[in-house]
Amino acid sequence: MYFAENPDATHDIHELRVELLGQPMVFLTDSGVFSKKRVDFGSQLLLDNLHFQKGETILDIGCGYGPLGLTLAKVQGVQANLIDINQRALALATQNAQQNKVKATIFQSNLYESVEGTFDHIISNPPIRAGKKVVHTIIEEGFTYLKQGGSLTIVIQKKQGAPSAKKKMADRYGNVEILRKEKGYYILQSKKDESS
């Protein structure tokens, strides 16, 4: 289970060389982490729909080995904060930050448990297999950790709960936009509006 704190799967290190947002990136992956053989389609689709300003702060929840947060830090110059419950994923993300010459804050947190402060943006390719409750907690509690005018953006498959996630986002933030729909994946974004 890749959302376990300490996966017990035997190590099986892979090196992925991929181009994300036009930037060549190198990631070490391992068994016991999500999508170890390639950067999954959902993450790539999410990245293609994120346009942040240099210096903005982002929180990447369930960062895995770091493809989202580290790519955004490298290409868009954001201040990336990467969190995951999985110690093995965090160790890989730390190595991958060094490997790609990216500065990022990487630490363990079970969802928002160890998170402090607020961020311009929260992003997540949520661990669907951890269940709907986890996805809804990311949406629900994210509101508290966003600055005014900040955004929460997630990728989720229709068959894995996109309609209920979309409703949850609309209820909590008062707005939700489908940035993209492709191959059954939805990119959903809500903004924390001054009035909400």
Side-chain angles (χ1 to χ4, degrees):
M1 304 277 260
Y2 56 80
F3 47 88
E5 188 167 342
N6 290 297
D8 52 11
T10 312
H11 286 286
D12 179 22
I13 303 277
H14 286 263
E15 184 179 86
L16 302 183
R17 292 184 172 270
V18 288
E19 190 173 293
L20 298 172
L21 299 181
Q23 173 74 40
M25 300 288 288
V26 183
F27 298 107
L28 291 174
T29 74
D30 197 352
S31 50
V33 301
F34 174 66
S35 200
K36 70 168 184 181
K37 296 224 168 116
R38 66 190 191 297
V39 177
D40 68 295
F41 180 77
S43 290
Q44 295 195 41
L45 194 64
L46 180 57
L47 274 174
D48 288 343
N49 288 277
L50 297 174
H51 308 287
F52 299 146
Q53 302 300 314
K54 188 174 181 185
E56 286 188 317
T57 52
I58 66 155
L59 179 65
D60 177 1
I61 298 192
C63 65
Y65 53 82
L68 294 173
L70 298 180
T71 302
L72 290 166
K74 181 104 176 175
V75 178
Q76 298 183 7
V78 298
Q79 294 179 45
N81 298 268
L82 283 66
I83 61 171
D84 205 300
I85 191 171
N86 181 331
Q87 294 279 21
R88 188 176 288 185
L90 293 167
L92 289 164
T94 302
Q95 283 178 281
N96 289 331
Q98 292 163 349
Q99 190 129 335
N100 292 285
K101 299 182 172 54
V102 173
K103 271 167 86 175
T105 304
I106 299 167
F107 60 97
Q108 186 183 27
S109 184
N110 183 6
L111 299 176
Y112 298 99
E113 218 167 71
S114 308
V115 176
E116 292 174 2
T118 55
F119 303 86
D120 293 308
H121 306 285
I122 295 174
I123 60 168
S124 188
N125 181 352
I128 300 300
R129 290 192 196 132
K132 186 187 272 192
K133 186 168 180 276
V134 168
V135 178
H136 285 193
T137 301
I138 289 172
I139 294 167
E140 184 81 36
E141 293 182 12
F143 190 86
T144 312
Y145 293 92
L146 277 175
K147 294 178 180 170
Q148 287 294 359
S151 68
L152 167 84
T153 314
I154 66 168
V155 57
I156 189 165
Q157 288 188 64
K158 184 172 184 186
K159 66 180 184 202
Q160 291 180 325
S164 72
K166 181 170 173 273
K167 182 178 184 315
K168 187 76 174 167
M169 288 167 79
D171 290 349
R172 184 67 176 105
Y173 294 80
N175 64 83
V176 63
E177 191 184 344
I178 300 172
L179 297 185
R180 187 93 167 267
K181 269 198 284 200
E182 196 172 322
K183 295 184 182 168
Y185 286 83
Y186 282 60
I187 307 294
L188 301 173
Q189 184 174 78
S190 289
K191 294 211 161 94
K192 182 172 179 174
D193 191 359
E194 280 70 5
S195 58
S196 52

